[in-house]
């Protein structure tokens, strides 16, 4: 398949959005940047196009997709808007928060569920594409399922060149980590996936966010059943400096790629040191992809504390390493 490449360096946002919306309207797939990661989008009401996403990503059929919307009017056509939803929307949309709400549309469009996952992305290109299509766009991360998400144009090319109708190059994404998913369909807030918006920010509005236990999570959010984000090379995690020392002793014959915020006093084959957790989040997936492409045998990564953006980074690293299975 010939993949059309559009770029913010050469095309205006209007031109990109018009062409992308035209392709989506014809049942095609368009990869576009959001503020979290790149998404591979289809017209949410075109079942054929939506099925193509599952095919090219090799995504499990029981893992439902997030509807990306442009306005509250559009939201109102697909989901029930409760007072709790209104409060969260007022503070955090557009932005990296996905809400699970009661659905108003036919189950064939919601993967057989009576709830629907919705978000309003904080990215001009993404918003304009949805606005011009005048229909919601389902858009999971633009990577082969199980692999690290795409946070830059080059990653999308690696996974999807020749497999989608169009790729929009909008440079690196702002957060580099997917949206936070909160289920509020039963009028209380339950965290289904930590993400770029921290729980502390939500709790500052006096909304208690419950953490679902592992089994409830697998029931409520099918996406959490599968291994995700994994590099090809073994990924080994450590919590603190003394853990790290024992790891390095254990693997002293291997070529090590290190990632974390601790500055290392000794030399390693490859090390990527982040200035803070925001940078760790933004670079997490690109660093995993980088280590897969260079001469290291294993990746050793620091698990940050379970708070703020650290919660989402921990979640992604634990899933990527496969130790939660
Ligand atoms: P992604 O694969 O990054 O697009 O993330 C989509 C996430 O939203 C997955 O974890 C899905 O399981 C979850 N999701 C989508 N729709 C629903 C829904 N109706 N109820 C619960 N979780 C959902
Ligand atoms: Mg994904």
């Amino acid at each position: 398949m010939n993949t059309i490449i559009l770029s913010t360096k050469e095309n205006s946002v209007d031109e990109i959005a018009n062409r992308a919306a035209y392709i989506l309207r014809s049942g095609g797939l368009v990869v576009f940047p959001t503020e979290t990661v790149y998404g591979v989008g289809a017209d949410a009401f075109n079942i054929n196009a939506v099925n193509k996403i599952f095919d090219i990503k090799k995504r499990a059929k029981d893992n439902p997709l997030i509807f990306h919307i442009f306005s509250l009017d559009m939201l109102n056509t697909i989901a029930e808007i409760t007072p709790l939803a209104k409060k969260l929307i007022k503070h955090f949309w557009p932005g990296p928060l996905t809400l699970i709400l009661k659905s108003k549309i036919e189950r064939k469009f919601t993967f057989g569920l009576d709830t629907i996952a919705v978000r309003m992305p904080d990215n001009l290109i993404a918003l304009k594409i949805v606005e011009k299509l005048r229909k919601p766009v389902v858009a999971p991360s633009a990577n082969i399922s199980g692999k690290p998400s795409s946070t830059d144009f080059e990653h999308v090319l690696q996974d999807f060149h020749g497999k989608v109708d169009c790729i929009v190059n909008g440079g690196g994404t702002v957060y580099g980590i997917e949206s936070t998913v909160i289920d509020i369909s039963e009028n209380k807030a339950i965290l289904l996936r930590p993400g770029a918006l921290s729980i502390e920010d939500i709790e500052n509005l006096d909304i208690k966010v419950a953490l679902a236990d592992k089994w409830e999570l697998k029931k409520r959010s099918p996406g959490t059943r599968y291994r995700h984000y994994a590099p090809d090379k073994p990924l080994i995690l450590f919590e603190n400096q003394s853990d790290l020392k024992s790891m390095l002793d254990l693997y002293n014959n291997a070529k090590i790629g290190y990632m974390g915020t601790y500055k290392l006093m000794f030399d390693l084959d490859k090390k990527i040191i982040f200035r803070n957790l925001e940078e760790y989040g933004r670079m997490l997936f690109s660093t995993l992809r980088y280590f897969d492409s260079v001469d290291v045998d294993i990746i050793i990564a620091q698990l940050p504390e379970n708070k703020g953006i650290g919660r989402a980074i921990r979640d992604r690293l634990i899933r990527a390493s496969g130790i939660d299975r």
Side-chain angles (χ1 to χ4, degrees), residues 37 57 59 62-66 68 98 100-101 110-111 113-117 139-141 178-179 181 183 192-193 220-224 228-229:
V37 300
K57 274 183 67 77
R59 183 176 172 111
D62 67 348
N63 187 4
L65 306 181
I66 298 172
H68 291 66
T98 295
I100 310 295
L101 301 168
T110 58
F111 316 94
L113 302 168
D114 53 13
T115 56
I116 186 167
S141 53
E178 296 83 351
S179 61
V181 181
D183 185 341
L192 299 190
R193 174 176 78 185
R220 282 182 183 268
S221 186
T224 57
H228 270 318
Y229 321 115

Side-chain angles (χ1 to χ4, degrees), residues 37-296:
V37 300
Y38 274 75
V40 51
D43 171 352
F45 292 117
N46 183 328
I47 304 271
N48 266 338
V50 175
N51 282 337
K52 277 196 267 176
I53 293 186
F54 283 87
D55 287 347
I56 66 159
K57 274 183 67 77
K58 305 193 180 84
R59 183 176 172 111
K61 288 278 193 268
D62 67 348
N63 187 4
L65 306 181
I66 298 172
F67 284 59
H68 291 66
I69 55 149
F70 148 77
S71 67
L72 294 187
D73 283 345
M74 190 180 264
L75 175 66
N76 195 31
T77 62
I78 59 173
E80 280 179 23
I81 310 176
T82 59
L84 177 55
K86 274 195 188 137
K87 186 169 173 183
L88 287 162
I89 288 168
K90 181 166 164 249
H91 283 88
F92 299 119
W93 278 12
L97 173 65
T98 295
L99 296 176
I100 310 295
L101 301 168
K102 285 217 171 81
S103 160
K104 284 186 184 171
I105 60 178
E106 282 180 73
R107 275 171 186 252
K108 68 175 177 193
F109 299 119
T110 58
F111 316 94
L113 302 168
D114 53 13
T115 56
I116 186 167
V118 198
R119 91 177 191 96
M120 189 188 284
D122 189 11
N123 175 291
L124 199 57
I125 297 169
L127 282 174
K128 277 252 172 199
I129 292 175
V130 183
E131 180 184 4
K132 303 252 179 195
L133 181 65
R134 287 191 267 115
K135 284 196 274 182
V137 173
V138 285
S141 53
N143 54 279
I144 306 293
S145 282
K147 293 282 135 201
S149 307
S150 293
T151 56
D152 213 334
F153 176 61
E154 284 70 33
H155 310 154
V156 179
L157 284 182
Q158 280 167 14
D159 285 15
F160 286 155
H161 195 233
K163 295 188 183 153
V164 294
D165 301 274
C166 174
I167 300 173
V168 180
N169 178 0
T173 57
V174 178
Y175 294 103
I177 289 235
E178 296 83 351
S179 61
T180 303
V181 181
I182 305 274
D183 185 341
I184 53 166
S185 61
E186 286 160 15
N187 263 321
K188 52 186 195 296
I190 304 169
L191 178 72
L192 299 190
R193 174 176 78 185
L197 177 71
S198 75
I199 302 179
E200 289 83 349
D201 283 345
I202 299 173
E203 294 200 318
N204 277 342
L205 300 180
D206 272 337
I207 296 171
K208 177 86 196 99
V209 181
L211 308 179
D213 71 39
K214 205 168 160 184
W215 296 111
E216 182 168 13
L217 202 59
K218 286 188 201 286
K219 192 175 76 193
R220 282 182 183 268
S221 186
T224 57
R225 288 175 201 151
Y226 302 101
R227 182 152 183 211
H228 270 318
Y229 321 115
D232 295 330
K233 304 206 172 139
L235 172 63
I236 291 143
L237 308 175
F238 68 92
E239 297 261 6
N240 53 44
Q241 303 251 28
S242 85
D243 265 11
L244 172 61
K245 258 202 113 338
S246 9
M247 296 271 168
L248 294 175
D249 288 344
L250 191 64
Y251 294 104
N252 70 350
N253 286 325
K255 286 192 190 130
I256 292 173
Y258 163 88
M259 60 198 281
T261 57
Y262 297 137
K263 292 186 188 63
L264 301 182
M265 291 306 148
F266 38 87
D267 225 23
L268 274 180
D269 300 286
K270 291 269 182 303
K271 49 184 176 183
I272 303 283
I273 294 162
F274 308 112
R275 276 172 297 184
N276 50 45
L277 290 184
E278 281 68 34
E279 187 172 87
Y280 197 164
R282 188 162 58 245
M283 311 260 306
L284 172 67
F285 291 127
S286 58
T287 307
L288 293 177
R289 282 182 184 251
Y290 165 73
F291 283 142
D292 267 346
S293 73
V294 295
D295 186 22
V296 300

